[in-house]
Amino acid sequence: MSPDKPPLRGRGEEERALLRLLDRARQGAGGALLLVGAAGMGKTALLDLAAAHAGPEFRVLRVSGVEAESRLPYAGLHGLLRPVAAHVSALPDAQARALLSVLESGALEPGTGAGGLALPAAVLGLLSAVAAGQPVLACVDDVDLLDADSREVLSFTARRIPGERVALLFTAGEGRPSAMPFTAGDSERPVMSFAAGEGERSAMPGVPVRTLGGLDGAAVRELADDVARDLAVGKVAEDLLAALDHIARGNPLALAELIGALTPDQLAGLAAPPVALPRGGRSWQGHARRLAALPGEAQRLLLLIAADPGLDLPTLIRAARPSCALTVLEPAERAGVLQSAGDRYDFRDPAMRGVVYYGASLLRRRSAHRLLAALLADERPEPPRLRLAWHRACALDGPPAALADDLAKAALDARPAYTHPEPYLALERAAELTDPHDPAKAERLAAAARYAWVAGRPQVARSLLARLRSLRAPDELRAHVQLLHGSLELLGGETGSAREELLAAADWLLESHRMLGVRALVRAADASYRAGDNRAFIAIARQAAALRRPDETVPTQLMFEYLAGMASTFSGSHQEAAAPLRRVVELAESVRDPSVLVWACVASMLLGEDATAHRLSARAIEAARVRGAVSAMPQLLEYMIYPEIWMGRYAAVAATAAQGLRLAQETGQLNMAAQHLAWLAITAAVEGDQETCRARADAAIDLAGAHDLGIAGAIGNWALAYLDLAGGRPADAANRLRAERRSNNHVVIRVMATPHFIEACARTGDHEAAGAALRVMERWVGSTRSPDLRALVSRCRALLAGPGEAEELFREALDLHGQGMYEFEAARTRLLYGSALRRDRRPGAARTHLHAALETFERHGARLWTEQARAELRASGDSVRPAFDATTGQLTAQQLQIARMVAEGATNKEVAEQLFLSRRTVEHHLRNIFSRLGIRSRVELVRLMS
């Protein structure tokens, strides 16, 4: 491959398959491979890659199937073999005559073995003769467009090629009918598949098939960076990239064309992202050609399906009358354009929907919407109100003002989730139909922006807000807009700017919309919380307390109590904080709004009630899902992480944080992405994966610095200190946490990291700093009822206790652990207790606790803690039982985690998505796993891991 040509992204497995194919050909054990995939998936690029890897060592032959030649017999063989026709003389006479007649005239002459083995044997013999001088790579692109005669001969050759120094590499389109001949009397074209499934005949039987799917998230990011660098347009924002990939679905060509067509405003986040493929691109043109080949009646019904994704089969049948919809759409199914999905049809490639809809003229689109409106109006017992209003508005079937009113009301009354169209689209359309001088236009745009934000489309929300600037709007509406601006900034921008916007919005809203005004205050306080600015939080809480009334609603009461409890916590008055925080948890039982429930999760955590915090988080997440509140999910998932961290459920933390990170990036919430990255650094530290921990922590700390995000920086530094402590570097851990405490005032993370800080200080002799930290922790834990937290206090006291006092405190800690749920922390207590007993020359008693700790660490895949426990056991005179091969130093913690997931049946793509790694990284780890364990297949890995 050319050094200046970017690598193929996300095709590591395919590239290795090509290399294996070439290696076998070099060794005289050739073979064949068929790559199947939709247009734009990179099939031709993989052929280019194979040819590049083959280099001058191979004789490379290539031909591409062309639809115009698909009915010319043997045109494919002619194109492929003509460069080596001189070698025909090496063949037996009968085979030579057969092959020459085909290459010269495109037909088998009488007497040359027509219909027999002469021609297939001749092709095999010719390739073998060429391979006698150097290995051969024969590449056939779009074999499904090759003439059927050539394809039949090549299929025969591919089945006979093992034992030769020949590699045959084919590509074929997915969901595209092959150029198989059929007579006019046939009722339908034969069903031929190049990746045959149940009920299908393979068009190349016996040839191994590899289907190219869409790129995974990491490869999409890498490809986007490559394209943006080539175009010199800067990095494509994560939320914009997610919108583009929603269209491309991992198709490399489609994604590259979408990025290339972006406007400066779209790149800057000032305009909405595209909703369809660019019309001039190859992807659009390929879809358009397939569409144009279908009968006109089929195209008409496809337009209806494109105009309404919710269109069910009974309605479609009524739309097709007097024709039968199933019969009309059968050509589209056979062509791979359409597929059945329950009681409706859907496009096999989602990008085709935009081509069908936006490729139609405005007149045809209006006619389609008018017909859909008429069909929906007749539905019983009640027409779907939003869909009906939408289609009437798109058809302009009435006075614009009346259409806008109906559509806006239907959108505001609709359930936010699982509707078509999405409410923000309906409100945007209603705004477009509203007179510019009508105040309702600004109101509808503002409402559309809010719904777009809730639905997880921040770039659309920003573009809608930008359109508001040119409209006159009342001050009250401006306050609503400012609240939305502040909320967008809170989760994706600079926290100080977010706080100021939210406070300004609160000033406007407290009198006219009290609930929203109080919510703006709480979000402003939240901005201070995330920045680690406790003084600003306390000031906002005091302002709120002065505004409180006796007749507040339950959600508003909850938010006031939350501010009071958190302010007392930040002031160090933990006993005073307990009462309002408990009131928050009590009020949460009658609250359904996920954005309010989230504060009850925080209150529960500060009360040490982790099970309650976890339950409330799960409730909030489910409520957000029901409401379609995608934008709330990253924050809600983060609040589920806090109790999981305390309870030592690190595998759950990794899964939750990976999901939260993905959603945060897709919805443009860089601040939440930083926090989830930091939590993933914590899980890597627990696993002992030092490289991954540092990479994630550094990324989180960088984002924290750019966005004044103290919380993410605090978690990232805690992760690095945790890694130091687990790796036996207590002085480094103590120094890191000491510096963090001086520069960052994030109380919650400081308290969570306190047990590690005390342990690091105790092990390095800094009892003064450890004692000061312990006194703060004691005040907080004393306000809770948690036996686990009291156990941690007892453990910390034991680490600082004088001779003869530590043992009783360790025993007290273990008794308290027995009443709680912190299994991993109990193991850490046993490790520290066992180490103390060993140093006190009581090896027998030490080994009991050390073995129990070792078992827990091994079960959690905590490699560095496992090594510490083993070292203590050896120092105590224990021989230490041999560990299972896959859990010793042979595999890193992350390799062990990947091995377990693969052994349980996960694909590389699934592993990559769950662990937030690139598929290439997973592939690299698997190669190392196989090498270290001395195995060669997944089957052996399953057997070993079981």
Side-chain angles (χ1 to χ4, degrees):
M1 191 187 305
S2 171
D4 59 348
K5 187 174 182 179
L8 282 180
R9 298 299 187 181
R11 298 300 183 207
E13 289 185 10
E14 289 77 12
E15 183 175 4
R16 283 189 291 278
L18 299 181
L19 290 173
R20 289 194 296 270
L21 185 67
L22 293 173
D23 285 342
R24 289 201 303 270
R26 288 188 184 95
Q27 298 160 13
L33 180 64
L34 171 62
L35 301 174
V36 176
M41 282 296 180
K43 303 185 295 297
T44 303
L46 284 167
L47 292 189
D48 294 339
L49 183 63
H53 281 307
E57 178 188 359
F58 277 72
R59 180 63 186 267
V60 179
L61 306 174
R62 293 192 70 158
V63 70
S64 296
V66 180
E67 195 161 3
E69 297 182 2
S70 63
R71 295 190 180 276
L72 292 177
Y74 303 112
L77 286 181
H78 182 270
L80 181 69
L81 301 178
R82 191 174 60 168
V84 292
H87 292 266
V88 172
S89 59
L91 301 177
D93 288 346
Q95 294 181 14
R97 287 197 307 273
L99 186 53
L100 283 173
S101 72
V102 164
L103 294 180
E104 292 173 357
S105 65
L108 279 169
E109 295 179 1
T112 56
L117 288 176
L119 179 60
V123 173
L124 180 61
L126 178 64
L127 292 174
S128 179
V130 176
Q134 64 182 133
V136 173
L137 170 63
C139 299
V140 183
D141 205 0
D142 290 330
V143 68
D144 50 327
L145 297 181
L146 223 58
D147 63 277
D149 297 307
S150 295
R151 189 169 58 244
E152 186 176 348
V153 171
L154 290 173
S155 183
F156 172 92
T157 306
R159 292 191 294 273
R160 300 295 193 278
I161 212 69
E164 304 290 345
R165 294 208 306 163
V166 178
L168 291 177
L169 187 56
F170 305 99
T171 73
E174 188 177 48
R176 186 166 68 189
S178 66
M180 293 293 291
F182 65 105
T183 66
D186 290 338
S187 61
E188 60 180 37
R189 195 183 194 103
V191 178
M192 303 295 288
S193 172
F194 286 84
E198 187 177 351
E200 296 176 328
R201 268 193 302 141
S202 173
M204 298 196 77
V207 178
V209 177
R210 182 177 286 272
T211 301
L212 303 184
L215 302 182
D216 63 18
V220 164
R221 177 74 268 175
E222 292 169 348
L223 176 61
D225 290 342
D226 292 340
V227 175
R229 186 168 49 250
D230 291 344
L231 298 173
V233 296
K235 190 179 181 70
V236 179
E238 293 290 349
D239 56 334
L240 175 56
L241 181 58
L244 300 182
D245 195 42
H246 185 71
I247 300 168
R249 302 299 173 101
N251 185 299
L253 176 62
L255 184 66
E257 292 183 334
L258 282 161
I259 294 173
L262 291 173
T263 67
D265 280 351
Q266 287 173 326
L267 283 164
L270 301 175
V275 294
L277 295 168
R279 292 196 64 148
R282 287 165 51 201
S283 296
W284 175 288
Q285 291 170 1
H287 285 308
R289 281 194 299 270
R290 296 174 69 193
L291 183 62
L294 297 174
E297 186 64 12
Q299 293 184 42
R300 187 180 76 86
L301 292 190
L302 287 175
L303 180 55
L304 296 180
I305 296 170
D308 191 337
L311 190 63
D312 59 22
L313 192 54
T315 307
L316 193 61
I317 289 172
R318 287 192 290 133
R321 288 173 181 166
S323 302
C324 171
L326 304 183
T327 303
V328 169
L329 290 172
E330 196 169 7
E333 285 192 88
R334 288 204 304 270
V337 171
L338 209 59
Q339 61 186 4
S340 59
D343 68 339
R344 66 196 68 230
Y345 282 105
D346 202 357
F347 292 96
R348 186 180 291 271
D349 184 338
M352 178 63 93
R353 182 182 299 278
V355 175
V356 172
Y357 186 78
Y358 293 103
S361 67
L362 180 58
L363 177 64
R364 288 185 60 219
R365 292 204 301 268
R366 286 184 61 188
S367 296
H369 285 294
R370 186 174 292 112
L371 174 57
L372 288 166
L375 293 167
L376 294 175
D378 291 337
E379 285 199 5
R380 296 292 179 267
E382 186 178 354
R385 187 172 159 212
L386 178 57
R387 285 170 65 200
L388 178 57
W390 168 259
H391 288 302
R392 284 176 173 164
C394 290
L396 293 176
D397 202 8
L403 293 172
D405 290 344
D406 288 347
L407 184 55
K409 192 170 189 320
L412 293 172
D413 291 343
R415 284 184 61 204
Y418 316 118
T419 59
H420 170 76
E422 291 193 65
Y424 80 87
L425 288 171
L427 287 162
E428 182 183 13
R429 178 62 177 160
E432 290 168 353
L433 294 173
T434 305
D435 187 279
H437 302 291
D438 188 338
K441 188 178 186 73
E443 293 172 6
R444 287 162 182 170
L445 276 176
R450 180 169 61 84
Y451 274 97
W453 163 241
V454 169
R457 291 169 172 79
Q459 192 166 23
V460 174
R462 292 190 192 97
S463 70
L464 290 166
L465 291 175
R467 287 160 61 181
L468 270 170
R469 295 181 189 134
S470 62
L471 299 175
R472 296 181 61 184
D475 290 340
E476 183 180 319
L477 182 60
R478 294 289 177 192
H480 284 267
V481 170
Q482 198 160 26
L483 173 58
L484 181 53
H485 264 301
S487 299
L488 284 162
E489 189 73 6
L490 173 61
L491 299 179
E494 199 271 324
T495 53
S497 172
R499 179 175 60 235
E500 296 309 312
E501 285 223 51
L502 290 164
L503 287 173
D507 286 343
W508 282 103
L509 292 169
L510 279 166
E511 290 302 322
S512 59
H513 288 81
R514 186 164 181 78
M515 173 72 170
L516 287 180
V518 175
R519 183 171 295 183
L521 275 178
V522 176
R523 286 184 182 172
D526 188 37
S528 305
Y529 167 83
R530 294 179 186 283
D533 189 344
N534 298 333
R535 290 182 179 177
F537 190 107
I538 292 168
I540 293 170
R542 286 174 179 161
Q543 177 187 350
L547 297 168
R548 195 166 181 177
R549 298 172 181 169
D551 60 344
E552 305 287 1
T553 64
V554 170
T556 308
Q557 286 182 55
L558 185 151
M559 289 188 282
F560 277 121
E561 296 284 7
Y562 168 78
L563 289 172
M566 292 294 286
S568 295
T569 297
F570 292 153
S571 301
S573 305
H574 298 291
Q575 293 294 341
E576 182 183 324
L581 292 176
R582 291 194 189 286
R583 181 68 177 144
V584 169
V585 177
E586 292 167 4
L587 291 168
E589 294 305 318
S590 57
V591 170
R592 299 290 177 266
D593 187 340
S595 62
V596 177
L597 276 174
V598 69
W599 311 126
C601 304
V602 179
S604 300
M605 182 189 65
L606 290 174
L607 291 168
E609 297 173 2
D610 301 300
T612 301
H614 198 271
R615 176 177 60 80
L616 287 170
S617 297
R619 259 188 67 200
I621 289 169
E622 181 57 28
R625 284 187 176 131
V626 169
R627 293 171 177 231
V630 178
S631 64
M633 293 298 288
Q635 183 182 21
L636 297 177
L637 288 167
E638 199 226 355
Y639 283 115
M640 181 169 273
I641 287 172
Y642 285 95
E644 288 174 342
I645 284 283
W646 277 120
M647 292 186 283
R649 300 176 181 175
Y650 295 110
V653 170
T656 303
Q659 183 186 6
L661 177 59
R662 176 179 60 80
L663 289 172
Q665 291 175 329
E666 289 177 358
T667 56
Q669 300 184 39
L670 292 180
N671 294 350
M672 293 309 307
Q675 288 169 231
H676 284 293
L677 263 175
W679 289 121
L680 286 168
I682 289 282
T683 63
V686 172
E687 295 163 0
D689 188 342
Q690 302 188 55
E691 182 181 353
T692 301
C693 174
R694 292 192 179 101
R696 290 170 173 170
D698 289 346
I701 291 167
D702 287 346
L703 273 171
H707 291 244
D708 190 21
L709 199 62
I711 183 171
I715 300 169
N717 277 302
W718 177 25
L720 294 172
Y722 193 119
L723 189 65
D724 288 333
L725 192 60
R729 302 181 296 274
D732 291 343
N735 289 336
R736 192 181 297 277
L737 289 173
R738 195 179 290 113
E740 177 65 25
R741 285 166 175 254
R742 285 196 297 265
S743 63
N744 195 328
N745 199 29
H746 202 282
V747 171
V748 174
I749 303 304
R750 175 184 290 192
V751 169
M752 294 181 77
T754 292
H756 298 97
F757 179 61
I758 292 171
E759 180 180 341
C761 288
R763 288 169 63 179
T764 54
D766 189 354
H767 283 226
E768 182 180 351
L774 177 58
R775 286 190 289 275
V776 174
M777 186 176 180
E778 286 173 331
R779 287 200 298 273
W780 171 53
V781 172
S783 69
T784 76
R785 303 167 185 169
S786 168
D788 284 302
L789 293 176
R790 297 205 306 276
L792 294 179
V793 167
S794 295
R795 182 177 85 192
C796 292
R797 287 171 177 164
L799 291 171
L800 300 177
E805 300 175 3
E807 182 171 2
E808 182 179 349
L809 289 167
F810 273 125
R811 288 184 177 278
E812 178 182 296
L814 290 174
D815 287 343
L816 288 166
H817 276 310
Q819 302 170 36
M821 299 180 294
Y822 293 8
E823 180 194 39
F824 194 87
E825 287 304 318
R828 295 247 299 108
T829 300
R830 288 189 181 279
L831 173 62
L832 290 167
Y833 184 23
S835 177
L837 289 171
R838 194 264 305 164
R839 292 194 303 273
D840 202 28
R841 299 186 180 182
R842 297 168 61 189
R847 286 194 286 269
T848 300
H849 295 289
L850 293 171
H851 274 297
L854 175 62
E855 181 182 349
T856 300
F857 295 149
E858 286 184 336
R859 195 162 6 96
H860 283 265
R863 184 173 62 85
L864 295 179
W865 293 120
T866 297
E867 290 174 2
Q868 283 200 31
R870 288 184 170 280
E872 287 291 342
L873 279 166
R874 284 192 293 271
S876 73
D878 193 291
S879 57
V880 189
R881 60 176 171 77
F884 171 54
D885 284 348
T887 61
T888 65
Q890 283 190 309
L891 297 184
T892 67
Q894 188 165 69
Q895 287 173 344
L896 178 58
Q897 188 176 15
I898 290 170
R900 285 172 173 161
M901 293 175 72
V902 170
E904 291 169 1
T907 65
N908 289 4
K909 183 177 181 181
E910 290 167 341
V911 173
E913 289 174 348
Q914 290 184 45
L915 300 184
F916 198 72
L917 301 169
S918 72
R919 197 153 61 177
R920 181 174 296 178
T921 300
V922 173
E923 293 160 0
H924 171 75
H925 279 308
L926 268 181
R927 287 199 301 275
N928 289 337
I929 289 167
F930 284 13
S931 174
R932 292 185 181 192
L933 299 182
I935 59 177
R936 293 184 295 178
S937 70
R938 290 176 180 246
V939 174
E940 291 182 75
L941 181 62
V942 171
R943 189 179 302 120
L944 183 63
M945 297 300 289
S946 64

